[in-house]
Amino acid sequence: MSESIKIDIWSDIACPWCYIGKRKFETGAAAFAEKAGADAPDVTIEYHSYELAPDTPVDFDGSEIDFLSTHKGMPADQVKGMLDNVAGIARATGLDYNFDTLKHTNTVKAHQLLHYAKTHGKQVEAKERLLKAYFTEGRHVGRIEDVADLAAEIGLDRDDVIRSLSADEHLDAVRADQALGQAYGIQGVPFFVIDGKYGVSGAQEAETFAQVLDQVWTEREAAHA
């Protein structure tokens, strides 16, 4: 088997397109693996922190429509139409978004959990759990106790997570991710860096991700021929 292909993904837990992009990438990676067969390289994923609205309070008093109307200066009806459209696209990828129960919040503690989870080999699981909690279950992902509850559900030590988040143990790693994203010129998420050389911006179709992975693999095979 070839050396694994590394995927670095900048995203935010509060980004609806990031969850959609996650599913589309997973579908594309599966299609690539099926096409490549037994010789397919592993695809390893690392998530990097990006905050869409770092000034958001932990306990925002209002709905998602309220937040976006204020934050983007858009009429509420227009925001509702936009969210309905996004929810429809999410459904097409198998995701059940529920904007009516979504609790808008600051995501910096959730990002710290992703770095904590990475040190315990559970970052991908943590990312999925946080996104599902936020977009489909109406769970709070901004407060330490709530984030720790979600961490425990994927097998992490709840008390140690509380200790880590309370001490901002991984805040420097979050800021380092953000600085690297700025250095790359990333201005929106999701943003995928594939094998350190190809950048894919946005929640592209699964076929696009499959094609890029195939291109990387083909180039590697040619280089070693």
Side-chain angles (χ1 to χ4, degrees):
M1 180 173 286
S2 306
E3 180 184 350
S4 67
I5 297 175
K6 175 76 181 301
I7 314 297
D8 293 281
I9 306 173
W10 272 259
S11 69
D12 192 5
I13 291 89
C15 166
W17 294 106
C18 291
Y19 203 5
I20 292 167
K22 182 178 185 292
R23 279 293 181 273
K24 289 188 173 183
F25 176 81
E26 289 164 351
T27 301
F32 162 70
E34 184 176 355
K35 177 184 175 183
D39 294 329
D42 287 334
V43 174
T44 60
I45 296 170
E46 181 175 346
Y47 283 99
H48 298 274
S49 302
Y50 189 104
E51 290 179 276
L52 287 170
D55 56 342
T56 305
V58 172
D59 290 301
F60 176 75
D61 185 18
S63 68
E64 181 73 347
I65 291 176
D66 294 333
F67 176 83
L68 290 174
S69 296
T70 304
H71 194 72
K72 294 184 177 292
M74 296 165 57
D77 287 348
Q78 186 178 346
V79 172
K80 185 179 186 310
M82 183 179 70
L83 293 179
D84 287 345
N85 179 59
V86 172
I89 294 170
R91 276 194 299 275
T93 65
L95 299 171
D96 184 21
Y97 281 10
N98 191 344
F99 287 112
D100 290 338
T101 62
L102 184 150
K103 293 179 175 59
H104 202 90
T105 185
N106 189 291
T107 58
V108 71
K109 292 299 182 184
H111 282 295
Q112 290 184 55
L113 174 66
L114 292 174
H115 283 277
Y116 176 94
K118 183 173 73 172
T119 67
H120 292 79
K122 287 184 172 286
Q123 192 192 45
V124 173
E125 294 92 331
K127 183 71 171 183
E128 177 68 24
R129 189 66 197 93
L130 287 164
L131 287 166
K132 183 177 181 181
Y134 187 73
F135 283 108
T136 75
E137 298 174 348
R139 302 272 294 270
H140 204 298
V141 301
R143 297 185 296 240
I144 290 176
E145 295 281 339
D146 297 281
V147 172
D149 286 343
L150 294 168
E153 290 178 22
I154 62 167
L156 294 172
D157 184 318
R158 186 179 186 279
D159 289 340
D160 195 52
V161 168
I162 290 174
R163 174 203 61 77
S164 177
L165 297 182
S166 298
D168 285 330
E169 183 178 34
H170 295 284
L171 182 59
D172 286 347
V174 172
R175 300 300 180 224
D177 273 354
Q178 293 168 330
L180 184 56
Q182 285 186 325
Y184 278 159
I186 297 171
Q187 296 181 323
V189 287
F191 193 92
F192 302 78
V193 177
I194 298 175
D195 213 34
K197 57 201 265 189
Y198 294 109
V200 177
S201 179
Q204 300 293 331
E205 294 304 319
E207 293 81 5
T208 299
F209 292 117
Q211 288 167 5
V212 176
L213 290 168
D214 187 60
Q215 182 175 341
V216 168
W217 184 53
T218 301
E219 289 173 358
R220 281 192 185 179
E221 294 296 301
H224 290 99

